[in-house]
Amino acid sequence: MGTRLPLVLRQLRRPPQPPGPPRRLRVPCRASSGGGGGGGGGREGLLGQRRPQDGQARSSCSPGGRTPAARDSIVREVIQNSKEVLSLLQEKNPAFKPVLAIIQAGDDNLMQEINQNLAEEAGLNITHICLPPDSSEAEIIDEILKINEDTRVHGLALQISENLFSNKVLNALKPEKDVDGVTDINLGKLVRGDAHECFVSPVAKAVIELLEKSVGVNLDGKKILVVGAHGSLEAALQCLFQRKGSMTMSIQWKTRQLQSKLHEADIVVLGSPKPEEIPLTWIQPGTTVLNCSHDFLSGKVGCGSPRIHFGGLIEEDDVILLAAALRIQNMVSSGRRWLREQQHRRWRLHCLKLQPLSPVPSDIEISRGQTPKAVDVLAKEIGLLADEIEIYGKSKAKVRLSVLERLKDQADGKYVLVAGITPTPLGEGKSTVTIGLVQALTAHLNVNSFACLRQPSQGPTFGVKGGAAGGGYAQVIPMEEFNLHLTGDIHAITAANNLLAAAIDTRILHENTQTDKALYNRLVPLVNGVREFSEIQLARLKKLGINKTDPSTLTEEEVSKFARLDIDPSTITWQRVLDTNDRFLRKITIGQGNTEKGHYRQAQFDIAVASEIMAVLALTDSLADMKARLGRMVVASDKSGQPVTADDLGVTGALTVLMKDAIKPNLMQTLEGTPVFVHAGPFANIAHGNSSVLADKIALKLVGEEGFVVTEAGFGADIGMEKFFNIKCRASGLVPNVVVLVATVRALKMHGGGPSVTAGVPLKKEYTEENIQLVADGCCNLQKQIQITQLFGVPVVVALNVFKTDTRAEIDLVCELAKRAGAFDAVPCYHWSVGGKGSVDLARAVREAASKRSRFQFLYDVQVPIVDKIRTIAQAVYGAKDIELSPEAQAKIDRYTQQGFGNLPICMAKTHLSLSHQPDKKGVPRDFILPISDVRASIGAGFIYPLVGTMSTMPGLPTRPCFYDIDLDTETEQVKGLF
């Protein structure tokens, strides 16, 4: 035992501290002349006596009473046990140190020091929140609610005056932090017999411990009279005594039968100060008496020095110290429970029941027929804390990145990628398979699992493709919220992108119309007579090699160098964006207004999800990393051929501000109530086509070591999967365990020579009737995609997404040929028609494949030249004979290499409708030359992207877009027509 306990014992015998100013956090509170506890001088004891000061005589125990040594031994044992338990917890969690918060409205500095010293002896931290003695109930509750939500605090006790102990105040405490056991929930569990699941009043436990161990009383069969206690102390005392076999009665001081009841009692527990009119002689000689006041929450008790001979007397020091020690014990228990909650466990997830209908209704009808759980309920079920989510409406929430720090020592779960064969223009259901798989894992196999999906662009939603929430009975709900604005991430990207675009053209205009001095004076203006560089301007000075911080000390040459970016307009690669399909923005002229003074140029709009900022969002792993990536984005070259970045334009901080909320993943749920992250949505043909690294990392922590995170890569495995491995896995450091390769009989028939498939046009009979030959011929594409997966050393499970027109013979043939081609397994899936139950076989196959060792490897070394990396992808993945670079592409490669960007991975911008560059070439094209028409760089995102053939970055609308069918019921405000 350390030196703290003897110090505490000495503190119990010294006068109260002198008054001091009210302060907050681990400091003595201000003394007061009234309310809430003793002021200067001695304290009024429960038996009408004053507490003796140092040097005053104290009463000794009666012959049958306890000795100080016995009392000290009990306290030592409690503190030592707490210390040992905490040490064991800290062996596995070295940074863990429980924190007890005490809200104090009063002046009892002695109790503050006792709590502090015992906490330090046991190895805990303690924080005092000191409020004025006249604090209102509302002010107390406000402080309680703050502590409730503070994840750094594991226990909360109140040290306030009696008149503030209302039910409203006491039940404001979170039961899991209520280390004094005063909330209705903790008391209810105690009464019910679940003491191991709740916190028991330290004062009530101290009474029992002292009677049994210090006085040596056998409580079984004893008549116990509790006088003047009320509230939670009264309830806890009665319950604990009854558990010991005692006959317990509780009465108040003004009860008429008080004298007779005192005469009958073997043990009297005084719960509040004795009125002066009640004589001590009513307590029979030989009766064991224990005193504890109604200020039990702070551990304050009153005791006198009676002149009569009791059979045993337990004084105030005993209960003060032991109750404080038992509170520390409760704190350690609270910390242990908290740690247990942080560890991986199987979620106690309430899954939503499905009642599939036949024929299957529309997607929006199915979505609307299911009532989602409140998102805060879902968050709690999967182990997120209340302060780790930001709720948007009833069914969406953003998850703060702080969860990664809290769970940094948690082992990751299994990592599963869903990719596909070369699709038809209709899509083959990768999102549907992803959702069906997690519904099967969690709702039917009771395995923790998370789906991580991309956020869909509103362009295709209102164009021809429709939404991307899955379909049938494997959807994210509410699907209209998923497919529309969600939480505004894409709008934030649009705002940030266009702010940067405006900064580029504005800077060119101002540089062309101002002298160096005028430009410099506007860039570094006088404010209250002082010129100062901003932080980002100081960074630019450092980049330029100008080691000065005083704007007035720059030479004319340095002023010109700093003020002029000298952007070459012909090299600008940064375009404005809009989240709408609009073909007429593919080529525009800007700057035609008179105020732009003839500085016009040709430009274009891209779809918002093609913005490099979207790719940055998807690949970043922290707020600081995102800011650095945004600053590195290259928007043009200057007239000497050097890259111009967002940092150079001084806009990085503003971009980060616009993106500060977008970086947090969005939490939603499937039709069966399993969790989904929806975050980021870069296109897969012109970007890397994967959801965010952050969503995957958070999900992998939340599911735990035995859980699964299932994420999706856009389009075919040759595009989305290749970029997932070579770009996303390089950025994240994560290693996948399994690839699920989605195929459909429809797509295989197309690759086998079937008629063309066009969105909005009914399918030909070859696709709705059995045709074994077409299926067999088309399986060449499936076999090629399996081979592509094997290049990366990851086991592949084929998921055949079954349509109602598929026949058993066709299904069996696909599964057989897939296994022959090297798939670990091939499984038909029926999630679209029945939900997760239809993908249980797939889930079992994925679990088994994930148990095998992954031999993951990258396709190429990023240090090799850009041309060699492009050629490797073209030949090994697409099956090309070679590549052909246009002069423009070769010039760009030379420039990027010279600028130091040659060691970045490659993100091929290619059609998704064929393994080759020609969309109409189905199956497995061979011996073709892959033309590279241009090469661009996303330096902030961290990749070079060659353009294969002609790639549009702004989709157009068809003759009959989806918006013809989309409407709003103005009575119910329900969206109609989304799919």
Side-chain angles (χ1 to χ4, degrees), residues 860-870 872 902-904 906:
Y860 53 79
D861 183 345
V862 291
Q863 301 301 325
V864 304
I866 292 174
V867 172
D868 292 346
K869 287 181 282 195
I870 296 172
T872 297
N903 60 349
L904 293 176
I906 302 300

Side-chain angles (χ1 to χ4, degrees), residues 332-361:
V332 173
S333 297
S334 176
R336 181 168 50 192
R337 292 178 191 175
W338 184 84
L339 279 176
R340 195 183 304 129
E341 287 296 310
Q342 310 315 303
Q343 295 169 354
H344 164 64
R345 58 181 172 81
R346 187 164 290 171
W347 295 335
R348 300 182 188 92
L349 200 71
H350 168 64
C351 294
L352 305 178
K353 298 297 182 184
L354 287 181
Q355 294 180 324
L357 301 176
S358 183
V360 176

Side-chain angles (χ1 to χ4, degrees), residues 829-851:
C829 305
Y830 304 90
H831 43 263
W832 183 82
S833 57
V834 296
K837 183 173 66 174
S839 282
V840 169
D841 288 344
L842 174 63
R844 290 192 174 116
V846 167
R847 286 181 72 180
E848 188 176 353
S851 67

Side-chain angles (χ1 to χ4, degrees), residues 870-888:
I870 296 172
R871 182 175 285 111
T872 297
I873 295 171
Q875 293 177 336
V877 177
Y878 307 151
K881 183 178 181 180
D882 204 350
I883 62 172
E884 183 178 70
L885 298 172
S886 71
E888 183 179 2

Side-chain angles (χ1 to χ4, degrees), residues 193-259:
D194 296 331
H196 62 286
E197 294 182 5
C198 68
F199 292 114
V200 179
S201 162
V203 175
K205 285 175 70 176
V207 168
I208 301 295
E209 292 273 309
L210 289 168
L211 284 170
E212 288 186 326
K213 296 181 180 179
S214 181
V215 181
V217 175
N218 180 1
L219 295 174
D220 186 20
K222 290 291 189 292
K223 295 179 181 179
I224 311 289
L225 185 66
V226 179
V227 186
H230 43 76
S232 54
L233 176 60
E234 178 185 13
L237 284 170
Q238 287 203 56
C239 188
L240 293 179
F241 277 128
Q242 287 169 3
R243 296 275 158 74
K244 294 292 183 178
S246 305
M247 295 176 286
T248 309
M249 176 177 287
S250 180
I251 61 174
Q252 298 304 314
W253 288 111
K254 295 183 179 181
T255 304
R256 290 183 180 179
Q257 298 88 3
L258 177 61
Q259 183 174 2

Side-chain angles (χ1 to χ4, degrees), residues 942-957:
F943 53 74
I944 301 291
Y945 64 103
L947 274 67
V948 180
T950 302
M951 288 297 303
S952 174
T953 52
M954 171 56 84
L957 290 172

Side-chain angles (χ1 to χ4, degrees), residues 514-755:
Q514 297 180 52
T515 65
D516 289 352
K517 183 177 180 181
L519 188 62
Y520 182 73
N521 287 341
R522 286 182 170 89
L523 287 171
V524 193
L526 273 172
V527 179
N528 297 324
V530 178
R531 287 189 200 277
E532 287 185 347
F533 291 119
S534 68
E535 185 178 333
I536 200 166
Q537 288 176 326
L538 288 170
R540 173 159 169 74
L541 286 169
K542 185 176 180 181
K543 177 181 176 181
L544 294 171
I546 302 172
N547 298 314
K548 297 179 180 179
T549 58
D550 184 350
S552 65
T553 61
L554 269 65
T555 65
E556 287 187 7
E557 183 183 355
E558 289 170 340
V559 165
S560 177
K561 195 176 180 182
F562 170 80
R564 294 199 177 274
L565 299 179
D566 209 17
I567 296 170
D568 180 354
S570 67
T571 66
I572 295 173
T573 56
W574 195 264
Q575 311 298 346
R576 289 163 174 81
V577 299
L578 188 69
D579 198 31
T580 302
N581 288 5
D582 191 345
R583 66 179 66 246
F584 288 92
L585 294 178
R586 290 172 178 169
K587 192 67 67 177
I588 60 172
T589 303
I590 61 172
Q592 295 190 86
N594 292 333
T595 53
E596 280 59 66
K597 304 175 183 179
H599 294 283
Y600 60 86
R601 67 179 181 90
Q602 278 206 337
Q604 69 185 60
F605 269 80
D606 294 339
I607 191 78
V609 293
S611 169
E612 184 177 349
I613 296 178
M614 175 63 88
V616 166
L617 177 67
L619 291 171
T620 190
D621 62 6
S622 68
L623 197 56
D625 178 61
M626 182 178 73
K627 183 177 180 180
R629 287 174 179 269
L630 292 172
R632 290 197 302 266
M633 293 188 304
V634 174
V635 300
S637 295
D638 63 22
K639 291 175 182 175
S640 65
Q642 293 306 303
V644 178
T645 66
D647 267 352
D648 293 327
L649 286 158
V651 74
T652 304
L655 300 182
T656 309
V657 168
L658 287 171
M659 293 294 295
K660 71 180 179 64
D661 291 319
I663 195 174
K664 304 165 190 170
N666 304 294
L667 177 64
M668 295 187 75
Q669 64 193 281
T670 68
L671 276 167
E672 297 192 54
T674 66
V676 178
F677 274 142
V678 185
H679 198 218
F683 270 13
N685 51 0
I686 54 179
H688 68 286
N690 291 271
S691 62
S692 77
V693 166
L694 279 169
D696 291 357
K697 285 192 169 185
I698 294 173
L700 284 164
K701 295 297 183 186
L702 289 170
V703 297
E705 192 170 5
E706 300 303 317
F708 286 79
V709 170
V710 184
T711 189
E712 174 199 347
F715 297 134
D718 57 305
I719 297 182
M721 184 193 72
E722 181 269 316
K723 295 173 183 178
F724 172 86
F725 288 141
N726 284 320
I727 297 175
K728 185 175 180 180
C729 288
R730 285 186 205 269
S732 68
L734 299 173
V735 176
N737 298 92
V738 183
V739 169
V740 173
L741 190 65
V742 178
T744 62
V745 168
R746 177 180 67 193
L748 293 173
K749 286 180 175 179
M750 178 190 72
H751 289 297

